[in-house]
Amino acid sequence: MRSDAVTKGMQTAPQRSLFNALGMTEEELERPLVGIVSSHNEIVPGHMNIDKIVEAVKTGVAMAGGTPIVFPAIAVCDGIAMGHVGMKYSLVTRDLIADSTECMATAHQFDALVMVPNCDKNVPGLLMAAARMNIPTVFVSGGPMLAGHVKGQKTSLSSMFEAVGAHAAGKMTAEDVDDYVCNACPTCGSCSGMYTANSMNCLTEAIGMGLQGNGTIPAVYSQRIQLAKHAGMKVMELLEKNIRPRDILTKEAFENALTVDMALGCSTNTMLHLPAIAHEAGVEINLDIANEISERTPNLCHLAPAGHHYMEELNEAGGIYAVMNELMEKGLLHTDLITATGKTVKENISGAANRNPEIIRPLDNPYSEKGGIAVLRGNIAPDSCVVKRSAVVPEMLVHEGPARVFDCEEDAIAAIKGGKIVAGDVVVIRYEGPKGGPGMREMLNPTSAIAGMGLGSSVALITDGRFSGASRGASIGHVSPEAAAGGPIGLIEEGDVIAIDIPANTINVKVSDEVLAERRAKWQPREPKIQTGYLARYAKMVTSADRGAVLEII
């Protein structure tokens, strides 16, 4: 046991005196020490209930013969951080979470871990830590929020942001907006659509690191507490069998995750996080594989913001195992892989019933024959960019229009809300990438303003930043290389015609190579917008979005 280094033998007497100070008994120190990484805090709705989940995990660990010990992980609420300088501090926490978890787990020599995350960067950060640490680990999330109800319709956070745009366009009164404020987000939990948090919690289940229901059981259901107890018991089984994260996080498991991603229509942020997790597991993911998988994977689900279904409905329909069982019927999954259940993928999902073919479309009636995410390339994005194809209206899948160029998110929002963006335009927001932001902000405010003002079916937005999973429309992010690194997006000028062809996976500015070369000769790098503290260090170390925005040692 790793914990022998701090609990066994005369040489550990000083350490044992400190365990004694914690009130631990000799009997507890005879058992495996299981670290429970708690993401509980009082600022993120998806995390306010995690203290209850953690207590249930502790019960499960103790029931199975382990000694549970809790330590914390941070988490940012992207919704609260949205639209101001705080969003620069969201993506960057993914690496802080991974690093701090590694430090705590190694310094205290835990034998196994149970990760209890819920929201956007918190889930991938802990998955990165699990892959890096490679000690027996299981995940149990805090669970999704129930959908809200406004004027008899189910709704969610994305509707809230779009309401602000509708108000700016004179299409909604302040009283109407207040109705959304009071009713769009009615419970604790990760926001109720297929946004980044729920996408990653579902893919944690699909990749084999979480138990059945991890991604879909609502936060307020007692079944979530039962799941947490089972997770605590299961980690003891994984420890006994020596099943470790890198046994689970294989190349084939990542292909399974990408396949489920395409079927669900997940957030484009998965295209940042899966490569970063794979990097920690020693697996290389080239984003081109996403298009290969998309070509053969039907899109079976249209959850908000792509449609009007919510996580609670996906859960009732059978959840992730039901989606995977549909995909297995078509031979689209690797099924002989070991998972955190101690069983194979096939053993887990065989017989999982699709209880609502309107929520999980069967293979013979998909929303589309191709998956929910597309990776595009062209002279704007030689190294790729990403769009949530399932959330794009058909008339915007192919689009040409004049570039409306902005060097920060705030300027773009002012132009959109000021009525300066018209049908046909292509809004370009640059210098918002991992280095240029720094921190690669999400652009939910401008995409929601476009949708709220009735321009969602006629205006595209491209950026070297990224999008919330709540964004919809022709929202194309992760443009790589980014402007701050000298990428071609930094050479686009006002009025240039931009051609987007999502079915063909292309994006280009209709300017000759010679003109682009002339512009490049005149281009000058910009000073980072923030030059002190963590963001300054991050900007120096972070790589491009197409590589998952992982950090490299200087």
Side-chain angles (χ1 to χ4, degrees):
M1 289 288 180
R2 279 163 49 100
S3 60
D4 288 355
V6 293
T7 62
K8 300 293 190 297
M10 180 57 65
Q11 72 278 6
T12 71
Q15 287 90 343
R16 284 185 281 119
S17 74
L18 295 170
F19 282 112
N20 185 70
L22 290 169
M24 287 196 178
T25 65
E26 291 182 8
E27 289 83 358
E28 286 175 295
L29 296 186
E30 287 296 319
R31 298 178 172 188
L33 302 186
V34 179
I36 302 173
V37 187
S38 170
S39 304
H40 173 253
N41 63 51
E42 296 182 349
I43 188 61
V44 185
H47 293 237
M48 63 185 286
N49 65 314
I50 280 179
D51 55 339
K52 296 176 177 59
I53 305 298
V54 167
E55 286 302 313
V57 172
K58 289 174 66 177
T59 298
V61 170
M63 287 169 64
T67 297
I69 304 173
V70 179
F71 64 90
I74 64 169
V76 164
C77 178
D78 280 13
I80 295 174
M82 195 72 65
H84 56 88
V85 67
M87 180 47 69
K88 295 177 183 289
Y89 289 84
S90 172
L91 177 62
V92 302
T93 64
R94 186 185 71 181
D95 297 275
L96 282 175
I97 291 162
D99 293 347
S100 61
T101 302
E102 175 193 5
C103 291
M104 288 292 288
T106 305
H108 302 105
Q109 290 293 284
F110 290 108
D111 297 304
L113 296 169
V114 180
M115 307 291 199
V116 191
N118 212 27
C119 288
D120 292 32
K121 283 6 123 282
N122 185 242
V123 182
L126 290 179
L127 282 165
M128 289 165 66
R132 188 186 301 175
M133 298 286 302
N134 200 35
I135 60 176
T137 302
V138 67
F139 277 66
V140 55
S141 76
M145 183 183 292
L146 294 179
H149 291 82
V150 178
K151 299 187 187 305
Q153 299 292 321
K154 283 189 175 182
T155 189
S156 60
L157 183 67
S158 53
S159 301
M160 187 71 257
F161 277 89
E162 291 179 16
V164 176
H167 179 262
K171 298 180 178 182
M172 189 175 288
T173 67
E175 290 75 18
D176 289 332
V177 175
D178 284 342
D179 195 9
Y180 276 92
V181 169
C182 294
N183 296 294
C185 299
T187 73
C188 63
S190 48
C191 296
S192 56
M194 189 55 78
Y195 310 145
T196 306
N198 291 327
S199 294
M200 290 307 304
N201 283 324
C202 289
L203 296 188
T204 298
E205 193 175 334
I207 209 168
M209 289 296 293
L211 307 185
Q212 184 177 11
N214 177 73
T216 60
I217 297 172
V220 296
Y221 283 15
S222 297
Q223 194 179 359
R224 172 73 44 187
I225 301 296
Q226 294 169 334
L227 177 68
K229 291 176 182 176
H230 284 297
M233 290 185 276
K234 185 60 67 174
V235 79
M236 297 303 296
E237 179 185 332
L238 298 181
L239 180 61
E240 180 183 357
K241 294 179 177 178
N242 196 29
I243 298 173
R244 299 169 181 253
R246 291 194 187 187
D247 299 325
I248 298 168
L249 296 172
T250 62
K251 181 176 183 291
E252 292 77 15
F254 282 98
E255 290 178 1
N256 281 354
L258 282 166
T259 300
V260 175
D261 190 335
M262 296 301 169
L264 291 174
C266 289
S267 163
T268 52
N269 279 316
T270 62
M271 295 295 105
L272 274 178
H273 299 322
L274 288 175
I277 298 160
H279 176 76
E280 296 290 353
V283 175
E284 183 178 346
I285 291 182
N286 184 317
L287 284 186
D288 287 334
I289 195 176
N291 283 341
E292 295 174 19
I293 291 174
S294 180
E295 283 293 320
R296 60 178 182 261
T297 306
N299 179 220
L300 305 181
C301 300
H302 262 196
L303 279 74
H308 300 289
H309 300 147
Y310 295 87
M311 294 304 297
E312 63 206 66
E313 294 167 277
L314 179 59
N315 186 64
E316 291 162 7
I320 302 309
Y321 278 15
V323 174
M324 294 179 74
N325 195 37
E326 291 280 356
L327 296 171
M328 183 173 67
E329 293 294 321
K330 195 178 178 182
L332 293 172
L333 296 177
H334 303 283
T335 60
D336 59 347
L337 310 179
I338 195 66
T339 72
T341 67
K343 300 177 180 178
T344 65
V345 171
K346 184 174 183 178
E347 289 173 317
N348 287 339
I349 67 177
S350 291
N354 179 355
R355 296 192 288 267
N356 190 334
E358 290 301 312
I359 306 299
I360 304 172
R361 292 276 187 93
L363 291 173
D364 59 1
N365 184 34
Y367 282 101
S368 67
E369 294 294 337
K370 294 184 180 181
I373 289 177
V375 176
L376 316 183
R377 292 182 187 267
N379 65 1
I380 292 175
D383 292 340
S384 78
C385 57
V386 178
V387 63
K388 187 171 182 174
R389 174 168 42 200
S390 60
V392 180
V393 294
E395 56 266 36
M396 288 298 291
L397 290 171
V398 178
H399 179 76
E400 282 194 15
R404 306 298 310 280
V405 182
F406 304 94
D407 288 346
C408 68
E409 178 189 7
E410 289 82 357
D411 290 351
I413 292 171
I416 295 165
K417 291 185 176 179
K420 297 179 181 179
I421 303 300
V422 300
D425 285 347
V426 178
V427 176
V428 178
I429 305 177
R430 60 195 182 188
Y431 296 99
E432 290 285 7
K435 287 184 180 293
M440 202 179 184
R441 287 194 285 184
E442 288 185 340
M443 302 291 154
L444 179 56
N445 273 7
T447 59
S448 297
I450 288 169
M453 297 185 77
L455 297 171
S457 60
S458 59
V459 169
L461 191 155
I462 68 172
T463 181
D464 52 9
R466 61 196 178 92
F467 294 107
S468 165
S471 290
R472 61 186 176 96
S475 303
I476 300 167
H478 308 191
V479 171
S480 302
E482 61 176 293
I489 189 174
L491 307 179
I492 298 172
E493 295 184 358
E494 186 80 8
D496 286 349
V497 175
I498 292 177
I500 300 164
D501 190 333
I502 294 172
N505 303 116
T506 61
I507 181 168
N508 290 287
V509 58
K510 300 181 82 171
V511 173
S512 69
D513 292 344
E514 291 76 15
V515 170
L516 288 176
E518 291 172 5
R519 293 178 184 178
R520 180 172 296 285
K522 298 174 184 177
W523 180 82
Q524 294 291 326
R526 300 184 177 209
E527 288 292 323
K529 296 172 185 175
I530 295 178
Q531 299 187 40
T532 59
Y534 179 61
L535 281 186
R537 297 196 302 275
Y538 182 87
K540 290 182 182 295
M541 298 174 68
V542 70
T543 61
S544 181
D546 67 293
R547 295 179 56 192
V550 298
L551 301 185
E552 285 188 326
I553 298 172
I554 298 174

